[in-house]
């Protein structure tokens, strides 16, 4: 049974097919993957609570380096896990902590920016992210949205396009070119439209992630793939949360 492509670059048919014969430690289950995702979620919360606490203790100068460690450390860790899936049981928790450092820091900064104009923006972002994740799971579980090959191909193309667009934006910013509609808190209709589109794409990626986890379990992928799948799902959740925070900040800027 061939696995279909996922919009999430960390989940692909090639990864499952190349690990399918490595089953000495047992086989993965969907429940096992979700349990490990729950553990990674706790790691993210722990890291986020730490940098959030630093910010509100007046230690922003200490928090900022930790935020950068979270950004680049998380990126490096994610790349390593993507190429070395067998390391996922050891590196996935580290990824969760690093992403937590970043999320806690950026959340504290945005919360302070909108403390008067949009109080509770972080709580709403967290709530909406969890709500969307649950909704996507239910839509997938009851087969209301079916991840067909065409659906996956379109979503993969859209996800790749967003990644390229963000990369180009980052590169031109290094040369002093500012795209105002990409700035945090920009309330233009274009900026809001882009954020809304990205949030939708990130949310739909969850459908494909759930499908890939289920298929991996059905194919009898090795046990360590539970950690890898939990990590991959966390990648999408973190992306969705950051984009949700950006969207609400832009909507709040128009009030």
């Amino acid at each position: 049974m061939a696995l279909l492509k996922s919009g999430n670059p960390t989940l692909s048919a090639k990864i499952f097919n190349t690990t399918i014969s490595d089953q000495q430690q047992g086989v993965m289950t969907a429940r096992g993957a979700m349990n490990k995702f729950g553990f990674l979620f706790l790691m993210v919360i722990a890291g986020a609570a730490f940098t959030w606490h630093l910010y509100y203790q007046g230690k922003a100068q200490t928090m900022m380096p930790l935020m950068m460690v979270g950004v680049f450390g998380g990126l490096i860790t994610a790349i390593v896990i993507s190429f070395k899936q067998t390391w996922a049981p050891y590196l996935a928790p580290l990824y969760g902590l690093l992403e937590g450092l970043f999320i806690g820091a950026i959340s504290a900064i945005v919360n302070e920016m909108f403390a008067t104009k949009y109080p509770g923006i972080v709580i709403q972002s967290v709530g909406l992210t969890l709500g969307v994740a649950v909704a996507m799971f239910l839509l997938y579980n009851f087969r209301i949205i079916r991840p067909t090959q065409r659906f996956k191909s379109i979503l993969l193309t859209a996800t790749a396009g967003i990644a390229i667009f963000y990369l180009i934006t980052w590169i031109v910013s290094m040369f002093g070119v500012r795209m105002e509609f990409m700035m945090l808190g920009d309330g233009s209709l274009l900026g809001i439209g882009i954020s809304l589109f990205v949030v939708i794409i990130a949310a739909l990626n969850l459908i494909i992630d759930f499908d890939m986890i289920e298929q991996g379990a059905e194919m009898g992928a090795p046990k360590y793939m539970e950690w890898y799948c939990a990590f991959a799902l966390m990648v999408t959740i973190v992306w969705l949360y950051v984009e949700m925070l950006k969207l609400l900040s832009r909507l709040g800027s128009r009030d």
Side-chain angles (χ1 to χ4, degrees), residues 77-130:
T77 303
I79 293 173
V80 173
I81 295 175
S82 296
F83 285 98
K84 296 289 292 185
Q85 296 85 39
T86 54
W87 294 5
Y90 315 104
L91 293 183
L94 175 61
Y95 172 81
L97 278 175
L98 290 170
E99 287 302 301
L101 294 177
F102 163 66
I103 288 177
I106 194 65
S107 297
I109 292 172
V110 173
N111 190 66
E112 187 69 18
M113 287 175 58
F114 291 88
T116 302
K117 198 169 187 179
Y118 196 160
I121 184 173
V122 170
I123 296 299
Q124 289 188 33
S125 297
V126 172
L128 285 172
T129 299
L130 295 179

Side-chain angles (χ1 to χ4, degrees), residues 64-201:
M64 293 305 294
L66 288 176
M67 182 177 77
M68 300 311 296
V69 168
V71 171
F72 293 104
L75 177 61
I76 294 171
T77 303
I79 293 173
V80 173
I81 295 175
S82 296
F83 285 98
K84 296 289 292 185
Q85 296 85 39
T86 54
W87 294 5
Y90 315 104
L91 293 183
L94 175 61
Y95 172 81
L97 278 175
L98 290 170
E99 287 302 301
L101 294 177
F102 163 66
I103 288 177
I106 194 65
S107 297
I109 292 172
V110 173
N111 190 66
E112 187 69 18
M113 287 175 58
F114 291 88
T116 302
K117 198 169 187 179
Y118 196 160
I121 184 173
V122 170
I123 296 299
Q124 289 188 33
S125 297
V126 172
L128 285 172
T129 299
L130 295 179
V132 168
V134 171
M136 291 299 104
F137 176 75
L138 293 176
L139 289 173
Y140 169 75
N141 191 55
F142 291 105
R143 300 299 189 264
I144 296 174
I145 296 182
R146 297 181 179 274
T148 63
Q149 179 63 53
R150 183 177 182 182
F151 177 87
K152 294 179 180 183
S153 297
I154 293 174
L155 198 57
L156 176 61
T157 301
T159 303
I162 291 170
I164 293 171
F165 176 69
Y166 278 178
L167 178 61
I168 293 174
T169 301
W170 177 68
I171 291 174
V172 298
S173 68
M174 295 177 63
F175 294 93
V177 179
R178 291 173 57 88
M179 296 185 179
E180 296 297 334
F181 61 88
M182 290 299 295
M183 301 299 293
L184 183 67
D186 173 71
S188 67
L189 291 178
L190 178 59
I192 292 174
I194 291 174
S195 281
L196 182 59
F197 173 75
V198 176
V199 165
I200 291 173
I201 296 301

Side-chain angles (χ1 to χ4, degrees), residues 34-45 89 92-93 227 234:
M34 295 308 295
N35 287 341
K36 290 173 175 60
F37 171 78
F39 178 77
L40 295 186
F41 189 73
L42 293 177
M43 300 299 282
V44 170
I45 292 176
W227 281 105
M234 182 56 71

Side-chain angles (χ1 to χ4, degrees), residues 5-21:
K5 291 183 177 179
S6 168
N8 187 335
T10 63
L11 286 174
S12 69
K14 182 179 179 181
I15 288 172
F16 280 110
N17 289 333
T18 55
T19 61
I20 200 68
S21 60

